[in-house]
mmCIF file of all heavy atoms in Angstrom:
data_model
loop_
_atom_site.group_PDB
_atom_site.id
_atom_site.type_symbol
_atom_site.label_atom_id
_atom_site.label_comp_id
_atom_site.label_asym_id
_atom_site.label_seq_id
_atom_site.Cartn_x
_atom_site.Cartn_y
_atom_site.Cartn_z
ATOM 1 N N LYS W 225 101.867 68.594 78.965
ATOM 2 C CA LYS W 225 103.065 67.938 79.510
ATOM 3 C C LYS W 225 104.402 68.418 78.943
ATOM 4 O O LYS W 225 105.426 68.183 79.557
ATOM 5 C CB LYS W 225 102.928 66.417 79.455
ATOM 6 C CG LYS W 225 103.031 65.796 78.089
ATOM 7 C CD LYS W 225 102.978 64.271 78.241
ATOM 8 C CE LYS W 225 103.187 63.592 76.913
ATOM 9 N NZ LYS W 225 102.134 63.870 75.924
ATOM 10 N N ASN W 226 104.397 69.066 77.802
ATOM 11 C CA ASN W 226 105.670 69.605 77.304
ATOM 12 C C ASN W 226 106.142 70.806 78.117
ATOM 13 O O ASN W 226 107.300 71.182 78.067
ATOM 14 C CB ASN W 226 105.535 70.041 75.854
ATOM 15 C CG ASN W 226 105.610 68.847 74.939
ATOM 16 O OD1 ASN W 226 106.014 67.767 75.386
ATOM 17 N ND2 ASN W 226 105.204 69.020 73.703
ATOM 18 N N LEU W 227 105.235 71.423 78.826
ATOM 19 C CA LEU W 227 105.618 72.607 79.608
ATOM 20 C C LEU W 227 105.393 72.432 81.109
ATOM 21 O O LEU W 227 106.038 73.092 81.911
ATOM 22 C CB LEU W 227 104.836 73.841 79.125
ATOM 23 C CG LEU W 227 105.126 74.333 77.707
ATOM 24 C CD1 LEU W 227 104.162 75.428 77.318
ATOM 25 C CD2 LEU W 227 106.551 74.857 77.598
ATOM 26 N N PHE W 228 104.476 71.573 81.481
ATOM 27 C CA PHE W 228 104.129 71.405 82.904
ATOM 28 C C PHE W 228 104.172 69.932 83.295
ATOM 29 O O PHE W 228 103.591 69.102 82.590
ATOM 30 C CB PHE W 228 102.698 71.886 83.174
ATOM 31 C CG PHE W 228 102.430 73.305 82.796
ATOM 32 C CD1 PHE W 228 101.954 73.636 81.533
ATOM 33 C CD2 PHE W 228 102.633 74.326 83.716
ATOM 34 C CE1 PHE W 228 101.686 74.952 81.186
ATOM 35 C CE2 PHE W 228 102.356 75.637 83.376
ATOM 36 C CZ PHE W 228 101.883 75.952 82.114
ATOM 37 N N PRO W 229 104.765 69.637 84.460
ATOM 38 C CA PRO W 229 104.739 68.237 84.889
ATOM 39 C C PRO W 229 103.391 67.783 85.467
ATOM 40 O O PRO W 229 103.127 66.594 85.525
ATOM 41 C CB PRO W 229 105.835 68.159 85.948
ATOM 42 C CG PRO W 229 106.149 69.531 86.330
ATOM 43 C CD PRO W 229 105.647 70.470 85.294
ATOM 44 N N GLY W 230 102.557 68.707 85.897
ATOM 45 C CA GLY W 230 101.269 68.287 86.477
ATOM 46 C C GLY W 230 100.138 69.137 85.930
ATOM 47 O O GLY W 230 100.350 69.967 85.056
ATOM 48 N N TYR W 231 98.938 68.921 86.428
ATOM 49 C CA TYR W 231 97.829 69.754 85.957
ATOM 50 C C TYR W 231 96.897 70.122 87.101
ATOM 51 O O TYR W 231 96.782 69.406 88.093
ATOM 52 C CB TYR W 231 97.077 69.070 84.815
ATOM 53 C CG TYR W 231 96.282 67.851 85.206
ATOM 54 C CD1 TYR W 231 94.895 67.924 85.358
ATOM 55 C CD2 TYR W 231 96.904 66.627 85.425
ATOM 56 C CE1 TYR W 231 94.155 66.800 85.729
ATOM 57 C CE2 TYR W 231 96.179 65.510 85.796
ATOM 58 C CZ TYR W 231 94.812 65.592 85.938
ATOM 59 O OH TYR W 231 94.090 64.497 86.310
ATOM 60 N N VAL W 232 96.258 71.284 86.964
ATOM 61 C CA VAL W 232 95.302 71.762 87.958
ATOM 62 C C VAL W 232 94.028 70.945 87.798
ATOM 63 O O VAL W 232 93.551 70.772 86.674
ATOM 64 C CB VAL W 232 94.980 73.261 87.724
ATOM 65 C CG1 VAL W 232 94.042 73.787 88.794
ATOM 66 C CG2 VAL W 232 96.260 74.092 87.685
ATOM 67 N N ARG W 233 93.493 70.410 88.890
ATOM 68 C CA ARG W 233 92.351 69.487 88.771
ATOM 69 C C ARG W 233 91.048 70.184 88.394
ATOM 70 O O ARG W 233 90.338 69.732 87.514
ATOM 71 C CB ARG W 233 92.140 68.717 90.083
ATOM 72 C CG ARG W 233 93.371 67.944 90.554
ATOM 73 C CD ARG W 233 93.685 66.814 89.610
ATOM 74 N NE ARG W 233 95.106 66.503 89.647
ATOM 75 C CZ ARG W 233 95.598 65.275 89.603
ATOM 76 N NH1 ARG W 233 94.800 64.243 89.512
ATOM 77 N NH2 ARG W 233 96.898 65.094 89.611
ATOM 78 N N ASN W 234 90.722 71.261 89.058
ATOM 79 C CA ASN W 234 89.404 71.885 88.854
ATOM 80 C C ASN W 234 89.513 73.073 87.885
ATOM 81 O O ASN W 234 90.402 73.918 88.016
ATOM 82 C CB ASN W 234 88.860 72.331 90.223
ATOM 83 C CG ASN W 234 87.548 73.067 90.091
ATOM 84 O OD1 ASN W 234 87.529 74.258 89.768
ATOM 85 N ND2 ASN W 234 86.449 72.384 90.318
ATOM 86 N N CYS W 235 88.609 73.117 86.934
ATOM 87 C CA CYS W 235 88.714 74.138 85.884
ATOM 88 C C CYS W 235 88.467 75.562 86.400
ATOM 89 O O CYS W 235 88.998 76.518 85.840
ATOM 90 C CB CYS W 235 87.751 73.828 84.737
ATOM 91 S SG CYS W 235 88.284 72.382 83.799
ATOM 92 N N LEU W 236 87.681 75.689 87.454
ATOM 93 C CA LEU W 236 87.450 77.030 87.991
ATOM 94 C C LEU W 236 88.715 77.540 88.696
ATOM 95 O O LEU W 236 89.058 78.725 88.600
ATOM 96 C CB LEU W 236 86.252 76.998 88.957
ATOM 97 C CG LEU W 236 85.548 78.334 89.223
ATOM 98 C CD1 LEU W 236 85.145 79.034 87.942
ATOM 99 C CD2 LEU W 236 84.316 78.109 90.110
ATOM 100 N N VAL W 237 89.389 76.631 89.371
ATOM 101 C CA VAL W 237 90.684 76.990 89.970
ATOM 102 C C VAL W 237 91.642 77.412 88.857
ATOM 103 O O VAL W 237 92.330 78.433 88.943
ATOM 104 C CB VAL W 237 91.301 75.794 90.761
ATOM 105 C CG1 VAL W 237 92.724 76.108 91.186
ATOM 106 C CG2 VAL W 237 90.451 75.439 91.964
ATOM 107 N N ALA W 238 91.657 76.594 87.794
ATOM 108 C CA ALA W 238 92.633 76.804 86.720
ATOM 109 C C ALA W 238 92.435 78.121 85.991
ATOM 110 O O ALA W 238 93.361 78.657 85.391
ATOM 111 C CB ALA W 238 92.547 75.641 85.732
#
Side-chain angles (χ1 to χ4, degrees):
K225 72 176 185 296
N226 281 346
L227 294 173
F228 303 91
Y231 69 102
V232 183
R233 304 293 153 141
N234 176 280
C235 290
L236 201 53
V237 171

